[in-house]
PDB file of all heavy atoms in Angstrom:
ATOM      1  N   GLN B 313     -14.224 -23.923  -2.658  1.00  0.00           N
ATOM      2  CA  GLN B 313     -12.953 -23.608  -3.278  1.00  0.00           C
ATOM      3  C   GLN B 313     -11.862 -24.618  -3.095  1.00  0.00           C
ATOM      4  O   GLN B 313     -10.675 -24.402  -3.371  1.00  0.00           O
ATOM      5  CB  GLN B 313     -12.453 -22.252  -2.783  1.00  0.00           C
ATOM      6  CG  GLN B 313     -13.466 -21.108  -2.944  1.00  0.00           C
ATOM      7  CD  GLN B 313     -12.953 -19.805  -2.411  1.00  0.00           C
ATOM      8  OE1 GLN B 313     -11.776 -19.391  -2.662  1.00  0.00           O
ATOM      9  NE2 GLN B 313     -13.815 -19.093  -1.627  1.00  0.00           N
ATOM     10  N   GLN B 314     -12.207 -25.806  -2.608  1.00  0.00           N
ATOM     11  CA  GLN B 314     -11.222 -26.759  -2.277  1.00  0.00           C
ATOM     12  C   GLN B 314     -10.411 -27.237  -3.408  1.00  0.00           C
ATOM     13  O   GLN B 314     -10.914 -27.269  -4.549  1.00  0.00           O
ATOM     14  CB  GLN B 314     -11.913 -28.030  -1.664  1.00  0.00           C
ATOM     15  CG  GLN B 314     -11.724 -28.127  -0.160  1.00  0.00           C
ATOM     16  CD  GLN B 314     -12.794 -28.941   0.569  1.00  0.00           C
ATOM     17  OE1 GLN B 314     -13.662 -29.350  -0.096  1.00  0.00           O
ATOM     18  NE2 GLN B 314     -12.535 -29.064   1.764  1.00  0.00           N
ATOM     19  N   GLY B 315      -9.169 -27.572  -3.197  1.00  0.00           N
ATOM     20  CA  GLY B 315      -8.355 -28.081  -4.306  1.00  0.00           C
ATOM     21  C   GLY B 315      -7.089 -27.324  -4.603  1.00  0.00           C
ATOM     22  O   GLY B 315      -6.516 -27.534  -5.668  1.00  0.00           O
ATOM     23  N   GLY B 316      -6.616 -26.444  -3.678  1.00  0.00           N
ATOM     24  CA  GLY B 316      -5.375 -25.788  -3.868  1.00  0.00           C
ATOM     25  C   GLY B 316      -5.551 -24.365  -4.439  1.00  0.00           C
ATOM     26  O   GLY B 316      -6.601 -23.984  -4.837  1.00  0.00           O
ATOM     27  N   ILE B 317      -4.380 -23.675  -4.540  1.00  0.00           N
ATOM     28  CA  ILE B 317      -4.430 -22.261  -4.769  1.00  0.00           C
ATOM     29  C   ILE B 317      -5.131 -21.921  -6.118  1.00  0.00           C
ATOM     30  O   ILE B 317      -5.739 -20.866  -6.260  1.00  0.00           O
ATOM     31  CB  ILE B 317      -3.005 -21.634  -4.737  1.00  0.00           C
ATOM     32  CG1 ILE B 317      -3.012 -20.167  -4.690  1.00  0.00           C
ATOM     33  CG2 ILE B 317      -2.117 -22.154  -5.883  1.00  0.00           C
ATOM     34  CD1 ILE B 317      -1.697 -19.511  -4.298  1.00  0.00           C
ATOM     35  N   PHE B 318      -5.029 -22.804  -7.141  1.00  0.00           N
ATOM     36  CA  PHE B 318      -5.651 -22.483  -8.445  1.00  0.00           C
ATOM     37  C   PHE B 318      -7.127 -22.809  -8.522  1.00  0.00           C
ATOM     38  O   PHE B 318      -7.751 -22.566  -9.513  1.00  0.00           O
ATOM     39  CB  PHE B 318      -4.850 -23.194  -9.557  1.00  0.00           C
ATOM     40  CG  PHE B 318      -3.462 -22.679  -9.647  1.00  0.00           C
ATOM     41  CD1 PHE B 318      -2.347 -23.438  -9.303  1.00  0.00           C
ATOM     42  CD2 PHE B 318      -3.244 -21.337  -9.996  1.00  0.00           C
ATOM     43  CE1 PHE B 318      -1.050 -22.944  -9.352  1.00  0.00           C
ATOM     44  CE2 PHE B 318      -1.931 -20.828 -10.057  1.00  0.00           C
ATOM     45  CZ  PHE B 318      -0.885 -21.626  -9.718  1.00  0.00           C
ATOM     46  N   ASP B 319      -7.636 -23.366  -7.429  1.00  0.00           N
ATOM     47  CA  ASP B 319      -9.068 -23.652  -7.392  1.00  0.00           C
ATOM     48  C   ASP B 319      -9.811 -22.605  -6.595  1.00  0.00           C
ATOM     49  O   ASP B 319     -11.038 -22.604  -6.530  1.00  0.00           O
ATOM     50  CB  ASP B 319      -9.320 -25.049  -6.777  1.00  0.00           C
ATOM     51  CG  ASP B 319      -8.868 -26.162  -7.705  1.00  0.00           C
ATOM     52  OD1 ASP B 319      -9.462 -26.233  -8.790  1.00  0.00           O
ATOM     53  OD2 ASP B 319      -7.969 -26.922  -7.323  1.00  0.00           O
ATOM     54  N   TRP B 320      -9.060 -21.680  -6.016  1.00  0.00           N
ATOM     55  CA  TRP B 320      -9.767 -20.598  -5.328  1.00  0.00           C
ATOM     56  C   TRP B 320     -10.379 -19.688  -6.374  1.00  0.00           C
ATOM     57  O   TRP B 320      -9.989 -19.724  -7.484  1.00  0.00           O
ATOM     58  CB  TRP B 320      -8.756 -19.852  -4.512  1.00  0.00           C
ATOM     59  CG  TRP B 320      -8.082 -20.590  -3.361  1.00  0.00           C
ATOM     60  CD1 TRP B 320      -8.472 -21.869  -2.942  1.00  0.00           C
ATOM     61  CD2 TRP B 320      -6.924 -20.195  -2.653  1.00  0.00           C
ATOM     62  NE1 TRP B 320      -7.644 -22.231  -1.948  1.00  0.00           N
ATOM     63  CE2 TRP B 320      -6.717 -21.317  -1.768  1.00  0.00           C
ATOM     64  CE3 TRP B 320      -6.146 -19.097  -2.633  1.00  0.00           C
ATOM     65  CZ2 TRP B 320      -5.676 -21.237  -0.823  1.00  0.00           C
ATOM     66  CZ3 TRP B 320      -5.134 -19.060  -1.692  1.00  0.00           C
ATOM     67  CH2 TRP B 320      -4.882 -20.088  -0.821  1.00  0.00           C
ATOM     68  N   PHE B 321     -11.385 -18.935  -5.849  1.00  0.00           N
ATOM     69  CA  PHE B 321     -12.154 -18.193  -6.825  1.00  0.00           C
ATOM     70  C   PHE B 321     -11.456 -16.931  -7.436  1.00  0.00           C
ATOM     71  O   PHE B 321     -11.929 -16.346  -8.366  1.00  0.00           O
ATOM     72  CB  PHE B 321     -13.436 -17.685  -6.162  1.00  0.00           C
ATOM     73  CG  PHE B 321     -14.394 -18.781  -5.906  1.00  0.00           C
ATOM     74  CD1 PHE B 321     -15.424 -18.631  -5.008  1.00  0.00           C
ATOM     75  CD2 PHE B 321     -14.354 -19.923  -6.621  1.00  0.00           C
ATOM     76  CE1 PHE B 321     -16.279 -19.670  -4.781  1.00  0.00           C
ATOM     77  CE2 PHE B 321     -15.183 -20.995  -6.422  1.00  0.00           C
ATOM     78  CZ  PHE B 321     -16.200 -20.823  -5.487  1.00  0.00           C
ATOM     79  N   TRP B 322     -10.250 -16.563  -6.855  1.00  0.00           N
ATOM     80  CA  TRP B 322      -9.628 -15.369  -7.461  1.00  0.00           C
ATOM     81  C   TRP B 322      -9.231 -15.594  -8.884  1.00  0.00           C
ATOM     82  O   TRP B 322      -9.226 -14.710  -9.644  1.00  0.00           O
ATOM     83  CB  TRP B 322      -8.345 -15.073  -6.684  1.00  0.00           C
ATOM     84  CG  TRP B 322      -7.217 -16.050  -6.716  1.00  0.00           C
ATOM     85  CD1 TRP B 322      -6.986 -17.002  -5.856  1.00  0.00           C
ATOM     86  CD2 TRP B 322      -6.210 -16.101  -7.636  1.00  0.00           C
ATOM     87  NE1 TRP B 322      -5.898 -17.708  -6.228  1.00  0.00           N
ATOM     88  CE2 TRP B 322      -5.381 -17.194  -7.329  1.00  0.00           C
ATOM     89  CE3 TRP B 322      -5.860 -15.407  -8.827  1.00  0.00           C
ATOM     90  CZ2 TRP B 322      -4.302 -17.589  -8.078  1.00  0.00           C
ATOM     91  CZ3 TRP B 322      -4.748 -15.672  -9.562  1.00  0.00           C
ATOM     92  CH2 TRP B 322      -3.921 -16.810  -9.131  1.00  0.00           C
ATOM     93  N   LEU B 323      -9.023 -16.828  -9.330  1.00  0.00           N
ATOM     94  CA  LEU B 323      -8.597 -17.140 -10.722  1.00  0.00           C
ATOM     95  C   LEU B 323      -9.760 -16.996 -11.704  1.00  0.00           C
ATOM     96  O   LEU B 323      -9.652 -16.207 -12.527  1.00  0.00           O
ATOM     97  CB  LEU B 323      -7.840 -18.459 -10.684  1.00  0.00           C
ATOM     98  CG  LEU B 323      -7.073 -18.702 -12.040  1.00  0.00           C
ATOM     99  CD1 LEU B 323      -6.050 -17.591 -12.209  1.00  0.00           C
ATOM    100  CD2 LEU B 323      -6.419 -20.093 -12.032  1.00  0.00           C
ATOM    101  N   PRO B 324     -10.833 -17.812 -11.497  1.00  0.00           N
ATOM    102  CA  PRO B 324     -11.865 -17.662 -12.511  1.00  0.00           C
ATOM    103  C   PRO B 324     -12.574 -16.278 -12.363  1.00  0.00           C
ATOM    104  O   PRO B 324     -13.140 -15.870 -13.362  1.00  0.00           O
ATOM    105  CB  PRO B 324     -12.876 -18.795 -12.071  1.00  0.00           C
ATOM    106  CG  PRO B 324     -12.531 -19.121 -10.717  1.00  0.00           C
ATOM    107  CD  PRO B 324     -11.082 -18.880 -10.555  1.00  0.00           C
ATOM    108  N   LEU B 325     -12.521 -15.704 -11.224  1.00  0.00           N
ATOM    109  CA  LEU B 325     -13.158 -14.439 -11.029  1.00  0.00           C
ATOM    110  C   LEU B 325     -12.226 -13.251 -10.890  1.00  0.00           C
ATOM    111  O   LEU B 325     -12.478 -12.267 -10.161  1.00  0.00           O
ATOM    112  CB  LEU B 325     -14.155 -14.441  -9.780  1.00  0.00           C
ATOM    113  CG  LEU B 325     -15.175 -15.605  -9.759  1.00  0.00           C
ATOM    114  CD1 LEU B 325     -15.957 -15.508  -8.462  1.00  0.00           C
ATOM    115  CD2 LEU B 325     -16.105 -15.465 -10.967  1.00  0.00           C
ATOM    116  N   LEU B 326     -11.069 -13.401 -11.548  1.00  0.00           N
ATOM    117  CA  LEU B 326     -10.014 -12.363 -11.315  1.00  0.00           C
ATOM    118  C   LEU B 326     -10.522 -10.942 -11.387  1.00  0.00           C
ATOM    119  O   LEU B 326     -10.212 -10.115 -10.485  1.00  0.00           O
ATOM    120  CB  LEU B 326      -8.836 -12.662 -12.245  1.00  0.00           C
ATOM    121  CG  LEU B 326      -7.619 -11.790 -12.004  1.00  0.00           C
ATOM    122  CD1 LEU B 326      -6.998 -12.110 -10.644  1.00  0.00           C
ATOM    123  CD2 LEU B 326      -6.514 -12.087 -13.033  1.00  0.00           C
ATOM    124  N   PRO B 327     -11.236 -10.573 -12.470  1.00  0.00           N
ATOM    125  CA  PRO B 327     -11.679  -9.151 -12.499  1.00  0.00           C
ATOM    126  C   PRO B 327     -12.584  -8.806 -11.352  1.00  0.00           C
ATOM    127  O   PRO B 327     -12.436  -7.713 -10.696  1.00  0.00           O
ATOM    128  CB  PRO B 327     -12.417  -9.008 -13.809  1.00  0.00           C
ATOM    129  CG  PRO B 327     -11.972 -10.176 -14.609  1.00  0.00           C
ATOM    130  CD  PRO B 327     -11.645 -11.296 -13.657  1.00  0.00           C
ATOM    131  N   LEU B 328     -13.446  -9.778 -10.982  1.00  0.00           N
ATOM    132  CA  LEU B 328     -14.388  -9.483  -9.873  1.00  0.00           C
ATOM    133  C   LEU B 328     -13.600  -9.382  -8.553  1.00  0.00           C
ATOM    134  O   LEU B 328     -13.925  -8.526  -7.660  1.00  0.00           O
ATOM    135  CB  LEU B 328     -15.407 -10.573  -9.708  1.00  0.00           C
ATOM    136  CG  LEU B 328     -16.391 -10.737 -10.894  1.00  0.00           C
ATOM    137  CD1 LEU B 328     -17.379 -11.775 -10.540  1.00  0.00           C
ATOM    138  CD2 LEU B 328     -17.019  -9.462 -11.206  1.00  0.00           C
ATOM    139  N   PHE B 329     -12.559 -10.190  -8.423  1.00  0.00           N
ATOM    140  CA  PHE B 329     -11.731 -10.107  -7.200  1.00  0.00           C
ATOM    141  C   PHE B 329     -11.049  -8.779  -7.071  1.00  0.00           C
ATOM    142  O   PHE B 329     -11.168  -8.150  -5.976  1.00  0.00           O
ATOM    143  CB  PHE B 329     -10.682 -11.231  -7.308  1.00  0.00           C
ATOM    144  CG  PHE B 329      -9.562 -11.090  -6.340  1.00  0.00           C
ATOM    145  CD1 PHE B 329      -9.663 -11.055  -5.014  1.00  0.00           C
ATOM    146  CD2 PHE B 329      -8.206 -11.006  -6.914  1.00  0.00           C
ATOM    147  CE1 PHE B 329      -8.589 -10.934  -4.167  1.00  0.00           C
ATOM    148  CE2 PHE B 329      -7.127 -10.862  -6.059  1.00  0.00           C
ATOM    149  CZ  PHE B 329      -7.334 -10.812  -4.685  1.00  0.00           C
ATOM    150  N   LEU B 330     -10.528  -8.272  -8.152  1.00  0.00           N
ATOM    151  CA  LEU B 330      -9.903  -6.929  -8.063  1.00  0.00           C
ATOM    152  C   LEU B 330     -10.915  -5.883  -7.830  1.00  0.00           C
ATOM    153  O   LEU B 330     -10.699  -4.967  -6.970  1.00  0.00           O
ATOM    154  CB  LEU B 330      -9.103  -6.655  -9.388  1.00  0.00           C
ATOM    155  CG  LEU B 330      -7.923  -7.612  -9.679  1.00  0.00           C
ATOM    156  CD1 LEU B 330      -7.378  -7.325 -11.054  1.00  0.00           C
ATOM    157  CD2 LEU B 330      -6.922  -7.505  -8.611  1.00  0.00           C
ATOM    158  N   VAL B 331     -12.094  -5.909  -8.563  1.00  0.00           N
ATOM    159  CA  VAL B 331     -13.024  -4.869  -8.286  1.00  0.00           C
ATOM    160  C   VAL B 331     -13.590  -4.953  -6.896  1.00  0.00           C
ATOM    161  O   VAL B 331     -13.667  -3.966  -6.230  1.00  0.00           O
ATOM    162  CB  VAL B 331     -14.219  -5.058  -9.303  1.00  0.00           C
ATOM    163  CG1 VAL B 331     -15.504  -4.293  -8.887  1.00  0.00           C
ATOM    164  CG2 VAL B 331     -13.815  -4.722 -10.720  1.00  0.00           C
ATOM    165  N   TYR B 332     -13.721  -6.150  -6.383  1.00  0.00           N
ATOM    166  CA  TYR B 332     -14.233  -6.275  -4.997  1.00  0.00           C
ATOM    167  C   TYR B 332     -13.280  -5.660  -4.031  1.00  0.00           C
ATOM    168  O   TYR B 332     -13.585  -4.851  -3.106  1.00  0.00           O
ATOM    169  CB  TYR B 332     -14.468  -7.693  -4.631  1.00  0.00           C
ATOM    170  CG  TYR B 332     -14.905  -7.884  -3.165  1.00  0.00           C
ATOM    171  CD1 TYR B 332     -16.263  -7.548  -2.883  1.00  0.00           C
ATOM    172  CD2 TYR B 332     -14.058  -8.136  -2.190  1.00  0.00           C
ATOM    173  CE1 TYR B 332     -16.674  -7.652  -1.574  1.00  0.00           C
ATOM    174  CE2 TYR B 332     -14.462  -8.233  -0.874  1.00  0.00           C
ATOM    175  CZ  TYR B 332     -15.808  -7.923  -0.537  1.00  0.00           C
ATOM    176  OH  TYR B 332     -16.203  -8.046   0.731  1.00  0.00           O
ATOM    177  N   PHE B 333     -11.963  -6.043  -4.169  1.00  0.00           N
ATOM    178  CA  PHE B 333     -11.046  -5.516  -3.199  1.00  0.00           C
ATOM    179  C   PHE B 333     -10.864  -4.012  -3.243  1.00  0.00           C
ATOM    180  O   PHE B 333     -10.874  -3.299  -2.270  1.00  0.00           O
ATOM    181  CB  PHE B 333      -9.708  -6.217  -3.392  1.00  0.00           C
ATOM    182  CG  PHE B 333      -8.772  -5.920  -2.227  1.00  0.00           C
ATOM    183  CD1 PHE B 333      -9.039  -6.290  -0.926  1.00  0.00           C
ATOM    184  CD2 PHE B 333      -7.580  -5.214  -2.435  1.00  0.00           C
ATOM    185  CE1 PHE B 333      -8.234  -6.041   0.124  1.00  0.00           C
ATOM    186  CE2 PHE B 333      -6.778  -4.888  -1.296  1.00  0.00           C
ATOM    187  CZ  PHE B 333      -7.056  -5.358  -0.027  1.00  0.00           C
ATOM    188  N   ILE B 334     -10.822  -3.482  -4.514  1.00  0.00           N
ATOM    189  CA  ILE B 334     -10.651  -2.042  -4.673  1.00  0.00           C
ATOM    190  C   ILE B 334     -11.952  -1.315  -4.164  1.00  0.00           C
ATOM    191  O   ILE B 334     -11.805  -0.286  -3.416  1.00  0.00           O
ATOM    192  CB  ILE B 334     -10.312  -1.640  -6.152  1.00  0.00           C
ATOM    193  CG1 ILE B 334      -9.020  -2.307  -6.514  1.00  0.00           C
ATOM    194  CG2 ILE B 334     -10.262  -0.117  -6.307  1.00  0.00           C
ATOM    195  CD1 ILE B 334      -8.710  -2.231  -7.931  1.00  0.00           C
ATOM    196  N   SER B 335     -13.129  -1.877  -4.473  1.00  0.00           N
ATOM    197  CA  SER B 335     -14.318  -1.295  -3.933  1.00  0.00           C
ATOM    198  C   SER B 335     -14.364  -1.285  -2.410  1.00  0.00           C
ATOM    199  O   SER B 335     -14.822  -0.497  -1.753  1.00  0.00           O
ATOM    200  CB  SER B 335     -15.523  -2.091  -4.424  1.00  0.00           C
ATOM    201  OG  SER B 335     -15.560  -2.073  -5.804  1.00  0.00           O
ATOM    202  N   GLY B 336     -13.739  -2.463  -1.856  1.00  0.00           N
ATOM    203  CA  GLY B 336     -13.658  -2.557  -0.436  1.00  0.00           C
ATOM    204  C   GLY B 336     -12.820  -1.396   0.168  1.00  0.00           C
ATOM    205  O   GLY B 336     -13.166  -0.781   1.184  1.00  0.00           O
ATOM    206  N   VAL B 337     -11.692  -1.095  -0.554  1.00  0.00           N
ATOM    207  CA  VAL B 337     -10.919   0.024  -0.067  1.00  0.00           C
ATOM    208  C   VAL B 337     -11.707   1.349  -0.152  1.00  0.00           C
ATOM    209  O   VAL B 337     -11.688   2.143   0.767  1.00  0.00           O
ATOM    210  CB  VAL B 337      -9.634   0.186  -0.976  1.00  0.00           C
ATOM    211  CG1 VAL B 337      -8.802   1.355  -0.466  1.00  0.00           C
ATOM    212  CG2 VAL B 337      -8.844  -1.109  -0.792  1.00  0.00           C
ATOM    213  N   ALA B 338     -12.523   1.442  -1.223  1.00  0.00           N
ATOM    214  CA  ALA B 338     -13.308   2.648  -1.357  1.00  0.00           C
ATOM    215  C   ALA B 338     -14.467   2.724  -0.290  1.00  0.00           C
ATOM    216  O   ALA B 338     -14.717   3.742   0.248  1.00  0.00           O
ATOM    217  CB  ALA B 338     -13.936   2.713  -2.776  1.00  0.00           C
ATOM    218  N   GLU B 339     -14.982   1.564  -0.064  1.00  0.00           N
ATOM    219  CA  GLU B 339     -16.070   1.459   0.862  1.00  0.00           C
ATOM    220  C   GLU B 339     -15.618   1.859   2.286  1.00  0.00           C
ATOM    221  O   GLU B 339     -16.449   2.410   3.087  1.00  0.00           O
ATOM    222  CB  GLU B 339     -16.493  -0.003   0.890  1.00  0.00           C
ATOM    223  CG  GLU B 339     -17.760  -0.331   1.774  1.00  0.00           C
ATOM    224  CD  GLU B 339     -19.041  -0.198   0.926  1.00  0.00           C
ATOM    225  OE1 GLU B 339     -19.008   0.150  -0.212  1.00  0.00           O
ATOM    226  OE2 GLU B 339     -20.040  -0.568   1.560  1.00  0.00           O
ATOM    227  N   THR B 340     -14.400   1.545   2.643  1.00  0.00           N
ATOM    228  CA  THR B 340     -13.927   1.895   3.991  1.00  0.00           C
ATOM    229  C   THR B 340     -13.293   3.257   4.081  1.00  0.00           C
ATOM    230  O   THR B 340     -12.645   3.634   5.034  1.00  0.00           O
ATOM    231  CB  THR B 340     -12.890   0.835   4.433  1.00  0.00           C
ATOM    232  OG1 THR B 340     -11.994   0.641   3.345  1.00  0.00           O
ATOM    233  CG2 THR B 340     -13.496  -0.489   4.780  1.00  0.00           C
ATOM    234  N   ASN B 341     -13.429   3.997   2.943  1.00  0.00           N
ATOM    235  CA  ASN B 341     -12.914   5.403   2.905  1.00  0.00           C
ATOM    236  C   ASN B 341     -11.412   5.495   3.154  1.00  0.00           C
ATOM    237  O   ASN B 341     -10.892   6.356   3.890  1.00  0.00           O
ATOM    238  CB  ASN B 341     -13.586   6.271   3.911  1.00  0.00           C
ATOM    239  CG  ASN B 341     -14.950   6.656   3.465  1.00  0.00           C
ATOM    240  OD1 ASN B 341     -15.251   6.768   2.311  1.00  0.00           O
ATOM    241  ND2 ASN B 341     -15.930   6.756   4.405  1.00  0.00           N
ATOM    242  N   ARG B 342     -10.673   4.503   2.554  1.00  0.00           N
ATOM    243  CA  ARG B 342      -9.234   4.529   2.763  1.00  0.00           C
ATOM    244  C   ARG B 342      -8.556   5.123   1.552  1.00  0.00           C
ATOM    245  O   ARG B 342      -9.081   5.022   0.432  1.00  0.00           O
ATOM    246  CB  ARG B 342      -8.751   3.109   3.009  1.00  0.00           C
ATOM    247  CG  ARG B 342      -9.190   2.528   4.360  1.00  0.00           C
ATOM    248  CD  ARG B 342      -8.512   3.193   5.536  1.00  0.00           C
ATOM    249  NE  ARG B 342      -7.051   3.043   5.487  1.00  0.00           N
ATOM    250  CZ  ARG B 342      -6.276   3.439   6.388  1.00  0.00           C
ATOM    251  NH1 ARG B 342      -6.668   4.154   7.414  1.00  0.00           N
ATOM    252  NH2 ARG B 342      -4.927   3.215   6.319  1.00  0.00           N
ATOM    253  N   ALA B 343      -7.293   5.594   1.685  1.00  0.00           N
ATOM    254  CA  ALA B 343      -6.497   6.076   0.560  1.00  0.00           C
ATOM    255  C   ALA B 343      -6.402   4.962  -0.498  1.00  0.00           C
ATOM    256  O   ALA B 343      -6.282   3.808  -0.077  1.00  0.00           O
ATOM    257  CB  ALA B 343      -5.178   6.459   1.062  1.00  0.00           C
ATOM    258  N   PRO B 344      -6.499   5.277  -1.725  1.00  0.00           N
ATOM    259  CA  PRO B 344      -6.606   6.622  -2.347  1.00  0.00           C
ATOM    260  C   PRO B 344      -8.067   7.111  -2.580  1.00  0.00           C
ATOM    261  O   PRO B 344      -8.331   8.020  -3.331  1.00  0.00           O
ATOM    262  CB  PRO B 344      -5.969   6.386  -3.723  1.00  0.00           C
ATOM    263  CG  PRO B 344      -6.289   4.944  -4.059  1.00  0.00           C
ATOM    264  CD  PRO B 344      -6.321   4.259  -2.803  1.00  0.00           C
ATOM    265  N   PHE B 345      -8.965   6.492  -1.826  1.00  0.00           N
ATOM    266  CA  PHE B 345     -10.435   6.893  -2.005  1.00  0.00           C
ATOM    267  C   PHE B 345     -10.871   7.668  -0.757  1.00  0.00           C
ATOM    268  O   PHE B 345     -12.102   7.628  -0.448  1.00  0.00           O
ATOM    269  CB  PHE B 345     -11.274   5.689  -2.217  1.00  0.00           C
ATOM    270  CG  PHE B 345     -10.871   4.772  -3.339  1.00  0.00           C
ATOM    271  CD1 PHE B 345     -10.112   3.644  -3.203  1.00  0.00           C
ATOM    272  CD2 PHE B 345     -11.176   5.171  -4.649  1.00  0.00           C
ATOM    273  CE1 PHE B 345      -9.703   2.904  -4.232  1.00  0.00           C
ATOM    274  CE2 PHE B 345     -10.761   4.386  -5.748  1.00  0.00           C
ATOM    275  CZ  PHE B 345     -10.090   3.214  -5.516  1.00  0.00           C
ATOM    276  N   ASP B 346     -10.016   8.280  -0.061  1.00  0.00           N
ATOM    277  CA  ASP B 346     -10.382   8.838   1.197  1.00  0.00           C
ATOM    278  C   ASP B 346     -10.953  10.241   1.118  1.00  0.00           C
ATOM    279  O   ASP B 346     -10.711  11.113   1.956  1.00  0.00           O
ATOM    280  CB  ASP B 346      -9.267   8.850   2.223  1.00  0.00           C
ATOM    281  CG  ASP B 346      -8.028   9.459   1.714  1.00  0.00           C
ATOM    282  OD1 ASP B 346      -7.953   9.618   0.453  1.00  0.00           O
ATOM    283  OD2 ASP B 346      -7.128   9.716   2.536  1.00  0.00           O
TER     284      ASP B 346
END
Side-chain angles (χ1 to χ4, degrees):
Chain B
Q313 304 181 48
Q314 253 156 356
I317 192 163
F318 296 111
D319 290 299
W320 297 348
F321 288 159
W322 66 268
L323 192 59
L325 302 179
L326 188 62
L328 296 186
F329 163 59
L330 296 176
V331 166
Y332 177 79
F333 190 63
I334 297 171
S335 303
V337 178
E339 183 93 356
T340 45
N341 286 327
R342 292 288 299 182
F345 304 101
D346 53 344

